[in-house]
Structures are given as C-alpha cells and as structure tokens.
Amino acid sequence: MDEMDEPEPERCCFDDWVDHWASRATTRPTAAKVTASLLDAITEAGVADRTILDVGCGIGDLAIEVVARGAAGGTGFDMSPKAIGEARGLAASRGVGDRMRFEVGDGAKLDLPAADIVVINRVVCCYPDTDNLLDHTLGAAGSVFAMTAPVSKGATGLLNRLWSALENVGYRLRPSKYAGFRTFIHDLDRIDERIRAAGFRRTRHEHRRIVWDLAVYTR
C-alpha cells in the first residue's frame, strides 16, 4: 500500500517521492497501477479534443497520457518543484510537451484554470480538510470529474484507517523529515454528495487494488 504515501503541500517532502515515481514511469505509461486504471476510465468517458487539469499531478504521467490519447492539452499543478520539473521533462520525452503546462501550486488555494476534465488522483488522502480542494477543483471542471482515494467504508476502510494510523506514527517519529505530514481517510460518501451537488452524476465506480476507490463523474 506504498502508493498511499503521498506527500502534502508545503509541509513536507514531496520531492522524496519523485525519484520513485519517475523510475516507474520509464517502463510504463503511469507510475502507479491505480493511475493506469483511472487513465482507462477517463479515456472511456471521452478525451478527444478536450482539456485536462490534474491537481496534485506528481510527475504528470496521467495528464500526459490523456493528451497522448487525443486530448487537446493539459495542465498540472503539484507542490513539489522537483515533480514539476520531471513532469515537464516527461511530457517532452513523450512528444506532447507543446500541449502541456505544469506549475508549482496547491490546488486547494489556487484560482484554477477551467478544463473539460479535472482529476484529483491519490490526493484527497493528503489533505486534513477537503472542502477547499473540492471547491476549487469542482469549480474548474466542465464535463468530467475523476478521482481516486482510499476506500473509507467496510472492512477495507478499517484496514485503510489502521494503515494510515501506523504510517502517521512513523511520520511523527521523524519530524525533521516529514515536518508534520499526515495521511487521512476521508468519508467518501460525503465527498460523493459534494460532487453530485455540483451537478455531476457518477458514471463509473469501483475499487482497484483492494484499497483504492475510483470514481468518474460526468455532466
């Protein structure tokens, strides 16, 4: 479940994860397998001539592959300057650099550019409070809103909470490295209600790799 070890804006160590992501992306389209599943789901929702905004984009692999599959262009934001540098290089190496823009920033605070497709992939679990993140990302979304987050209900939700608690003990024991970073398991039913209230309907919902909840919404 190492894919849950996502860094948090401004408080930590995002850069420490970048080499791991970049190494994986050299041998396959996306660094994480759950990201590959989300990529396929977004593609099924329709990407031709659309724009994509990936908030918390990491090395940009998801947005880059969406553009490679026919989207008109993409934008990504991440709090790690190192990740953004890798994203720009990866986009160039995959032949879509002229259609991508990657910038350093926190999607819960920025005035985000509008896009047809907005994605928050493995990001929710890095925020103690998701309200601002959802306000900003839903406000930017045109036709598709897609996300992955740790499952929060049932036996898997309990497993995720226990694992998150153990991870957070480790983070607390290394304050000089993790600087207050924590992971969170948020109530996904509440998040689903927020997304539906913004005018979206859920068109795909599944659990991937046991611990991840994947959802795609359209309007």
Side-chain angles (χ1 to χ4, degrees):
M1 203 167 148
D2 60 337
E3 292 173 0
M4 286 182 61
D5 294 351
E6 295 287 327
E8 163 133 3
E10 296 181 332
R11 294 192 317 198
C12 166
C13 40
F14 281 139
D15 288 354
D16 293 344
W17 278 269
V18 173
D19 291 340
H20 174 65
W21 299 335
S23 176
R24 288 188 172 190
T26 61
T27 58
R28 55 194 187 194
T30 63
K33 291 182 179 179
V34 70
T35 303
S37 298
L38 185 60
L39 171 62
D40 289 340
I42 293 169
T43 302
E44 289 180 10
V47 301
D49 300 322
R50 287 178 162 178
T51 54
I52 180 168
L53 168 65
D54 188 352
V55 176
C57 65
I59 61 170
D61 48 338
L62 175 59
I64 288 167
E65 285 305 303
V66 169
V67 171
R69 293 187 180 192
T75 303
F77 291 96
D78 197 274
M79 285 304 301
S80 166
K82 185 175 180 179
I84 291 301
E86 288 286 345
R88 291 168 179 166
L90 185 62
S93 70
R94 295 187 180 178
V96 296
D98 60 335
R99 291 187 282 160
M100 308 296 306
R101 179 170 72 94
F102 292 103
E103 301 291 344
V104 177
D106 183 347
K109 299 177 180 178
L110 295 171
D111 291 327
L112 297 171
D116 298 307
I117 304 164
V118 172
V119 181
I120 48 173
N121 176 35
R122 302 186 301 155
V123 173
V124 167
C125 50
C126 297
Y127 282 87
D129 185 346
T130 61
D131 286 344
N132 285 334
L133 177 66
L134 289 171
D135 284 345
H136 284 71
T137 53
L138 286 169
S143 304
V144 178
F145 188 86
M147 63 175 287
T148 62
V151 174
S152 63
K153 300 292 185 181
T156 302
L158 177 60
L159 172 66
N160 280 341
R161 292 180 191 282
L162 290 172
W163 184 258
S164 177
L166 289 172
E167 285 185 320
N168 288 339
V169 169
Y171 297 141
R172 289 188 181 95
L173 292 175
R174 302 179 69 186
S176 61
K177 179 177 178 63
Y178 291 103
F181 172 66
R182 302 289 183 268
T183 58
F184 305 89
I185 310 300
H186 292 290
D187 184 347
L188 297 186
D189 287 344
R190 178 177 177 273
I191 290 175
D192 175 70
E193 290 174 0
R194 287 287 308 278
I195 298 170
R196 291 177 187 272
F200 289 90
R201 62 185 182 91
R202 191 165 63 188
T203 54
R204 182 161 178 170
H205 183 224
E206 60 196 53
H207 290 174
R208 303 297 300 182
R209 302 190 62 76
I210 302 175
V211 299
W212 292 101
D213 186 281
L214 182 156
V216 177
Y217 298 81
T218 61
R219 65 179 177 188

